[in-house]
Amino acid sequence: MLELSPAQRRDLRARAHVLQPVVIISDAGLSENVLKEIAASLASHELIKVRVFSDDREQRAGMLAEICSALDAAPVQHIGKILVVYKPKPEETATPPRPARKPARRTKRSYQND
């Protein structure tokens, strides 16, 4: 399981505030297909919310621990029926930043059209 510092956790909680849940765990519980969906969502978004339709708080906490240990992710927050999970993208698959574009040179002709 990935460990986060308190400052990192605070920053991730702030980033997650505006997110909507992307995966929903029904009363059937955490299945292999749900874990695959969570893994796919983490791979594309890094930070996700998961909604759990269970009324048992200990069961939800257990699901969060199981998700994080199975996917090598970090638990960010467990508030009510919402779980927030973070897994950074691997560096080799991250897209490099685009180089800044230089402004187009103005030619003599473009000055005449102004």
Side-chain angles (χ1 to χ4, degrees), residues 54-66 78 80 83:
S54 171
D55 291 329
D56 186 13
R57 181 171 175 74
E58 285 82 30
Q59 185 181 14
R60 292 191 307 263
M63 284 183 192
L64 180 60
E66 186 178 344
H78 171 204
L83 312 176

Side-chain angles (χ1 to χ4, degrees), residues 62-111:
M63 284 183 192
L64 180 60
E66 186 178 344
I67 290 168
C68 292
S69 64
L71 302 177
D72 194 31
V76 176
Q77 187 175 28
H78 171 204
I79 184 163
K81 295 184 177 187
I82 301 292
L83 312 176
V84 181
V85 183
Y86 172 73
K87 182 176 181 182
K89 289 184 181 179
E91 293 299 320
E92 63 271 1
T93 61
T95 12
R98 296 172 79 188
R101 289 182 45 185
K102 294 180 182 177
R105 285 185 52 177
R106 294 185 70 162
T107 61
K108 193 173 198 180
R109 184 175 297 188
S110 65
Y111 286 121

